[in-house]
């Protein structure tokens, strides 16, 4: 090795690849990601910019230092390697889009991405090998080529960032100046209390299973009635929570943030609570409450913004976020994250109360409840508390006794039991304080799992005691605010008044479904399809689709024989009434897992009068053999065990199964099982078949 000093030309040769890699991953990636998703983050641009710049400069220096210690062809190999990795990172992060579903804690089924792993690995190999090929093929020109490529891509990234900085409205997250704190979280009134627990993703079928497994848990809820036929408004929290809080529907008619603002302006609910002497505390995510409502109505709103607990930890979280986007597919499982990692870094301001964190907070809420105990407000106000807990949302981490599962065998059911035990502790403290009779308690969920249509809904009114009751009367979340309003001012007229002890029969209940795409940062929800839900808990499309461009109408369930119902242009949920998970895949290849032990297909094939053939093709079978049973009414069309995804299911559909142009197929997957129960992953969905293609066509016979 020569000790010759590095000249200017050699320094520039080292600088460009080092700068390209460092700038792409440590600066461009975090800054572009922040600006593109600005409304999703509670921290400021400066919180991201300065640490990213420092880490980028430091990493560039380290890469230069390593290069300066090498000589001859080893230095050339080193910079070819840097250049190849930088190109691969840039291509992966900016041009390769792979749908991993929602990063909300639910485990990613990596085994379904075998083909992605192959082509993505080959892509990375090609990117890394390309500079070495250039060195061998163009010995004299390759250094100039590397410099030009690095310089051009750096210039493109700088122009992109400049454009984003110039065109981004950084006031989008100005609502962060007021945040929802934990102030008065554990305080109640000696006079009158209304307490609403929203247990995220707690579906009614989980409660049914819990009470079947442990009927003694009903005894924890003195005076409660459970409404087992309750519908929510939306399938995910972004749509569901604002509706629970305001009773105002969102149909993509305006940007989401404008809807939040107007929703609070258009409801008299919080004025009514204020006029009735209630100290109001909303304990949920900040984005679901308008800035105006925080300032005017809420006792737990804090001025001054949320501070970052640790800049170092924030930078680590951002790099993990960037790594998931920029790393090759085969490395993503090692940097997999849930979007809630940023909530854990919220810190209270000086002399202020801590921010309320709704992410994975079941156990922390319980420990604080036991430690601090409920206490009385210092004045004579009544107390209104809406408390949003993690519920049975993935990942499931708790045993039924509210301890963390060390062997990771917690399930939705064990976590559901933990939630009920947490609520029970709260109720017992109310009894010890002799204010149980003065308290109305509602326990519900923002939505369920799978399609998310049927959340739990349990209620105890003022002064009510007695054995736990179960009612099948159909109600919905649109009844929640009227129920509370009636309890405050009995006898006064409220829109859609109901007596919750009676319920409503033959009522029209609407449900607004969308295929969730992790669009927390988007101005609109994905396209919303409107359903009506009948008293038998059956969903039927109305033919209305609400998009960011306006209302579209369509013929519900209309199916053209021979077309595939799973493709880039066709979402199978428009034909499946139940029993499906979300679509997965990429722009070329899609599949969708069954979810649960049954499902239903509804097709409008008006004009078809002859026998049909149904065809199912699978991309995967989970834990084979899996039995598939297909019925039309009482007639069994198919009943067999399927061992391999190579098996194609073809079954005859007699013409008499088509009633007035409509075909209903009931599917059963009795052997469906969750990966978590088999200790094969964290996925708690009951899986059986991953459908790749489904189509129906005319029989030739």
């Amino acid at each position: 090795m020569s000790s010759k000093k590095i000249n200017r030309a050699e320094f520039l040769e080292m600088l460009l690849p080092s700068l390209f890699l460092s700038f792409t991953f440590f600066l461009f990636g975090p800054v572009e990601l922040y600006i593109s998703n600005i409304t999703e983050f509670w921290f400021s641009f400066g919180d991201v910019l300065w640490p990213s710049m420092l880490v980028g400069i430091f990493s560039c220096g380290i890469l230069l230092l390593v290069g300066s210690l090498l000589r001859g062809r080893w230095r050339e190999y080193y910079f070819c390697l840097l250049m190849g990795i930088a190109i691969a990172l840039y291509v992966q992060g900016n041009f390769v889009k792979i749908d991993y579903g929602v990063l909300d804690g639910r485990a990613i089924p990596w085994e379904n991405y075998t083909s992605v792993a192959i082509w993505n690995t080959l892509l990375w190999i090609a990117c890394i090998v390309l500079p070495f090929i250039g060195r061998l093929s163009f010995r004299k020109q390759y250094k100039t080529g590397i410099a030009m490529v690095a310089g051009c891509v750096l210039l493109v990234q700088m122009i992109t960032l400049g454009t984003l900085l110039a065109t981004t409205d950084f006031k989008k997250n100005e609502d962060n100046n007021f945040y929802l704190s934990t102030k008065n979280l554990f305080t109640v009134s000696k006079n009158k209390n209304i307490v609403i627990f929203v247990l995220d993703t707690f579906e009614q079928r989980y409660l049914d299973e819990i009470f079947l497994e442990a009927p003694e848990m009903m005894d924890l809820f003195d005076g409660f009635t459970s409404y087992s036929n309750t519908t929510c408004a939306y399938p995910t929290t972004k749509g569901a929570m604002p509706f629970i809080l305001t009773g105002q529907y969102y149909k993509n008619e305006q940007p989401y943030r404008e809807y939040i603002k107007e929703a609070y302006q258009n409801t008299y609910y919080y004025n009514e609570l204020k006029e009735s002497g209630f100290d109001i505390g909303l304990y949920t995510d900040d984005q679901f409450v308008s800035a105006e409502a925080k300032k005017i109505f809420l006792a737990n709103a804090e001025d001054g913004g949320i501070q970052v607990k640790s800049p170092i930890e924030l930078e680590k979280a951002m790099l993990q976020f960037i790594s998931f986007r920029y790393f090759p597919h085969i490395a993503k499982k090692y940097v997999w994250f849930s979007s809630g990692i940023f909530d854990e870094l919220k810190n209270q301001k000086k002399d202020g109360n801590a921010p309320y964190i709704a992410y994975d907070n079941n156990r922390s809420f319980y420990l604080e409840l036991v430690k601090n105990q409920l206490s009385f407000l210092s004045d004579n106000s009544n107390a209104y508390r809406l408390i949003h807990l993690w519920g049975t949302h993935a990942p499931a981490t708790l045993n039924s006794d509210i301890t963390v599962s060390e062997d990771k065998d917690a399930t939705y059911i064990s976590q559901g039991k933990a939630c009920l035990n947490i609520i029970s502790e709260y109720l017992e403290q109310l009894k010890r304080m002799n204010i149980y009779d003065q308290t109305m308690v509602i326990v519900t969920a923002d939505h369920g799992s799978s399609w998310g249509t049927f959340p739990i809904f349990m209620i105890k009114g003022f002064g009510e005691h007695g054995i736990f009751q179960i009612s099948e009367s159909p109600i919905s979340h649109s009844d929640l605010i009227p129920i509370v309003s009636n309890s405050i001012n009995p006898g006064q007229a409220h829109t859609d008044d109901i007596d919750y002890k009676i319920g409503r029969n033959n009522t029209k209940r609407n449900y607004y479904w969308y295929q969730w795409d992790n669009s927390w940062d988007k101005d609109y929800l994905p396209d919303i399809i409107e359903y009506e839900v009948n008293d038998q808990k059956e969903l039927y499309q109305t033919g209305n689709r609400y998009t960011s461009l306006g209302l579209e109408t369509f013929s519900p369930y209309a199916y053209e024989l021979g077309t595939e119902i799973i493709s880039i242009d066709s979402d199978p949920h428009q034909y499946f009434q139940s029993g499906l998970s979300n679509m997965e895949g990429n722009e070329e290849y899609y599949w969708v897992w069954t979810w649960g032990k049954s499902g239903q297909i509804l097709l409008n094939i008006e004009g078809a009068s002859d026998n049909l053939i149904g065809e199912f093709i699978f991309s995967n079978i989970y834990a084979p053999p899996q039995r598939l049973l297909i019925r039309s009414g009482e007639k069994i069309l198919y009943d067999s065990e399927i061992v391999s995804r190579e098996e194609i299911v073809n079954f005859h559909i007699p013409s008499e199964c088509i009633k007035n142009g409509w075909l209903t197929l009931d599917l059963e997957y009795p052997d469906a099982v969750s990966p978590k129960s088999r200790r094969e992953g964290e996925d708690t969905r009951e899986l059986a078949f991953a459908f790749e293609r489904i189509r129906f066509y005319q029989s030739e016979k």
Side-chain angles (χ1 to χ4, degrees):
M1 231 181 241
S2 169
S3 60
K4 183 179 70 172
K5 291 183 179 179
I6 299 173
N7 59 38
R8 182 178 179 181
E10 290 174 324
F11 178 77
L12 288 174
E13 289 173 4
M14 293 190 300
L15 177 62
L16 281 171
S18 302
L19 187 60
F20 179 20
L21 193 154
S22 299
F23 185 87
T24 297
F25 186 77
F26 294 103
L27 186 58
F28 177 81
V31 172
E32 186 271 337
L33 191 66
Y34 177 87
I35 293 176
S36 300
N37 302 273
I38 188 170
T39 57
E40 187 174 348
F41 298 118
W42 53 266
F43 41 88
S44 71
F45 179 55
D47 292 332
V48 174
L49 179 62
W50 302 118
S52 296
M53 288 182 66
L54 290 174
V55 172
I57 292 170
F58 178 77
S59 65
C60 185
I62 292 296
L63 295 176
L64 282 171
L65 177 61
V66 173
S68 68
L69 298 176
L70 301 174
R71 294 292 183 270
R73 68 174 182 273
W74 292 108
R75 181 187 291 171
E76 294 179 5
Y77 293 156
Y78 174 69
F79 288 119
C80 284
L81 179 62
L82 288 186
M83 190 66 187
I85 294 174
I87 292 172
L89 287 170
Y90 178 72
V91 171
Q92 180 79 34
N94 294 279
F95 301 105
V96 177
K97 307 298 181 184
I98 303 171
D99 184 7
Y100 293 103
V102 183
L103 301 178
D104 62 353
R106 190 178 295 120
I108 296 173
W110 300 104
E111 66 276 6
N112 295 341
Y113 292 83
T114 304
S115 61
V116 174
I118 294 172
W119 68 254
N120 190 245
T121 302
L122 292 175
L123 174 65
W124 268 74
I125 292 173
C127 289
I128 292 173
V129 169
L130 188 61
F132 289 93
I133 294 175
R135 178 182 178 277
L136 292 174
S137 303
F138 307 98
R139 189 69 182 86
K140 294 181 179 180
Q141 296 89 3
Y142 89 95
K143 290 183 179 180
T144 303
I146 284 179
M148 288 181 64
V149 171
C152 287
V153 178
L154 278 169
L155 182 61
V156 168
Q157 292 183 112
M158 289 177 183
I159 292 173
T160 301
L161 285 187
T163 303
L164 287 172
L165 290 170
T167 58
T168 298
D169 179 10
F170 287 94
K171 294 182 180 179
K172 281 185 176 181
N173 57 359
E174 63 184 3
D175 286 0
N176 291 338
N177 289 330
F178 272 86
Y179 67 90
L180 300 178
S181 74
T182 56
K183 181 182 178 182
N184 289 346
L185 175 59
F186 298 110
T187 60
V188 289
S189 170
K190 296 178 182 179
N191 302 316
K192 183 181 288 187
N193 301 284
I194 297 172
V195 182
I196 301 173
F197 287 99
V198 181
L199 306 179
D200 209 305
T201 320
F202 205 138
E203 187 165 297
Q204 178 62 37
R205 65 188 176 97
Y206 298 157
L207 189 65
D208 294 340
E209 189 170 337
I210 288 170
F211 287 156
L212 187 64
E213 218 175 83
E216 68 277 6
M217 294 197 77
M218 295 184 190
D219 298 334
L220 301 176
F221 296 92
D222 173 24
F224 276 80
T225 298
S226 172
Y227 287 85
S228 60
N229 190 356
T230 301
T231 59
C232 60
Y234 298 90
T236 73
T237 305
K238 186 174 180 179
M241 274 307 298
F243 182 79
I244 288 174
L245 291 163
T246 67
Q248 305 295 312
Y249 286 103
Y250 177 57
K251 300 180 182 179
N252 275 336
E253 64 270 54
Q254 62 192 132
Y256 182 79
R257 290 170 64 81
E258 292 181 16
Y259 152 72
I260 294 293
K261 181 179 179 179
E262 290 190 10
Y264 285 89
Q265 293 174 344
N266 294 334
T267 180
Y268 190 72
Y269 183 49
Y270 295 100
N271 297 84
E272 185 178 26
L273 289 169
K274 272 288 187 183
E275 291 171 0
S276 300
F278 279 88
D279 175 278
I280 304 172
L282 300 182
Y283 303 93
T284 184
D285 196 286
D286 282 280
Q287 67 179 307
F288 304 136
V289 183
S290 72
E292 184 180 31
K294 291 174 188 173
K295 296 174 187 176
I296 297 175
F297 299 116
L298 305 189
N300 68 313
E302 298 271 343
D303 190 8
I306 306 173
Q307 297 183 357
V308 176
K309 186 178 296 184
S310 167
I312 294 175
E313 292 301 317
L314 177 61
E315 179 64 13
K316 286 171 61 178
M318 284 300 296
L319 289 178
Q320 187 174 355
F321 200 170
I322 290 302
S323 296
F324 189 83
R325 177 170 169 178
Y326 278 70
F327 276 14
H329 172 80
I330 58 174
K332 289 184 189 292
K333 66 175 66 177
Y334 304 108
V335 293
W336 173 84
F337 74 102
S338 171
S339 54
I341 60 174
F342 295 108
D343 286 339
E344 298 169 0
L345 300 176
K346 291 180 177 179
N347 197 24
Q348 67 195 69
K349 65 177 184 178
K350 286 186 178 181
D351 304 321
N353 293 281
Y356 184 77
I357 300 173
Y359 172 77
D360 202 6
N361 63 349
N362 292 336
R363 181 168 164 78
S364 60
F365 175 85
Y366 172 74
L367 293 176
E368 287 294 316
L369 175 64
V370 172
K371 177 183 176 181
N372 295 331
Q373 299 285 300
L374 295 177
S375 61
F376 288 118
L377 286 166
S378 58
D379 57 24
N380 290 322
S381 298
N382 299 319
Y384 178 91
R385 304 285 181 256
L386 185 143
I387 304 170
H388 185 183
L389 298 177
W390 193 240
T392 57
H393 196 296
T397 58
L398 295 182
N399 299 315
S400 58
D401 60 358
I402 325 174
T403 58
V404 176
S405 176
E406 298 298 336
D407 51 7
K408 297 185 177 182
D409 60 353
T411 64
Y412 291 148
I413 300 304
S414 68
Q415 188 147 305
K417 290 179 179 178
C419 291
L420 298 183
N421 283 323
I422 292 170
I423 305 301
S424 174
E425 172 62 28
Y426 194 99
L427 300 178
E428 287 302 312
Q429 291 192 27
L430 292 175
K431 290 180 178 179
R432 292 197 295 269
M433 299 169 77
N434 294 317
I435 55 171
Y436 195 70
D437 284 347
Q438 294 99 291
T439 305
M440 172 187 229
V441 182
I442 296 174
V443 182
T444 187
D446 51 352
H447 56 84
S449 63
S450 185
W451 268 51
T453 319
F454 301 104
I456 62 168
F457 194 97
M458 304 189 298
I459 183 170
K460 181 202 82 73
F462 293 111
E464 292 184 344
H465 291 277
I467 62 172
F468 187 83
Q469 302 286 331
I470 297 177
S471 171
E472 295 183 358
S473 296
I475 64 172
S476 74
H477 274 164
S478 64
D479 299 317
L480 193 153
I481 287 178
I483 285 172
V484 175
S485 294
N486 285 342
S487 72
I488 298 172
N489 297 305
Q492 290 192 14
H494 296 99
T495 303
D496 295 330
D497 276 354
I498 68 162
D499 179 348
Y500 68 87
K501 280 296 181 183
I502 300 174
R504 297 188 295 180
N505 293 315
N506 301 314
T507 184
K508 177 181 176 182
R509 297 182 292 175
N510 287 338
Y511 177 62
Y512 296 90
W513 184 86
Y514 47 81
Q515 173 79 43
W516 181 238
D517 59 358
N518 210 29
S519 58
W520 284 107
D521 60 308
K522 303 296 190 301
D523 287 336
Y524 295 87
L525 286 176
D527 291 352
I528 299 169
I529 297 178
E530 183 180 62
Y531 287 82
E532 286 187 2
V533 187
N534 65 19
D535 292 355
Q536 288 72 47
K537 302 174 74 170
E538 297 170 328
L539 283 74
Y540 293 95
Q541 296 171 15
T542 66
N544 291 331
R545 181 187 294 111
Y546 300 96
T547 77
S548 59
L549 300 177
L551 171 65
E552 296 178 355
T553 58
F554 62 94
S555 180
Y557 310 103
Y559 176 73
E560 183 179 345
L561 290 176
T563 60
E564 296 182 8
I565 71 172
I566 302 176
S567 71
I568 189 173
D569 299 316
S570 179
D571 184 346
H573 293 91
Q574 62 184 307
Y575 304 106
F576 270 78
Q577 294 293 88
S578 60
L580 275 194
S581 186
N582 288 335
M583 288 182 68
E584 302 173 46
N586 52 55
E587 294 182 356
E588 298 179 355
Y589 176 59
Y590 284 92
W591 66 87
V592 58
W593 279 101
T594 58
W595 190 346
K597 294 183 180 293
S598 64
Q600 187 181 72
I601 297 176
L602 184 60
L603 301 175
N604 179 358
I605 46 178
E606 189 174 355
S609 57
D610 296 330
N611 298 338
L612 302 179
I613 293 177
E615 180 181 82
F616 292 175
I617 296 178
F618 309 105
S619 67
N620 207 344
I621 311 293
Y622 186 70
Q626 285 283 351
R627 184 182 171 202
L628 174 62
L629 178 64
I630 305 174
R631 302 176 187 267
S632 179
E634 297 300 318
K635 189 175 186 62
I636 297 177
L637 307 180
Y638 184 89
D639 185 2
S640 182
E641 284 190 339
I642 301 172
V643 178
S644 169
R645 68 178 186 179
E646 305 298 328
E647 296 182 48
I648 297 177
V649 171
N650 287 296
F651 56 96
H652 291 276
I653 305 171
S655 58
E656 59 264 26
C657 293
I658 305 172
K659 310 292 185 182
N660 298 318
W662 289 85
L663 172 64
T664 302
L665 297 176
D666 294 302
L667 314 179
E668 295 180 23
Y669 331 111
D671 301 322
V673 64
S674 72
K676 185 152 190 172
S677 67
R678 292 170 53 87
R679 297 182 179 274
E680 294 180 353
E682 295 300 308
D683 195 343
T684 53
R685 293 176 298 171
E686 291 179 314
L687 305 178
F689 305 99
F691 291 122
E692 180 180 337
R693 290 173 57 191
I694 297 177
R695 69 186 183 105
F696 301 88
Y697 54 92
Q698 204 83 47
S699 172
E700 296 180 358
K701 296 182 180 180

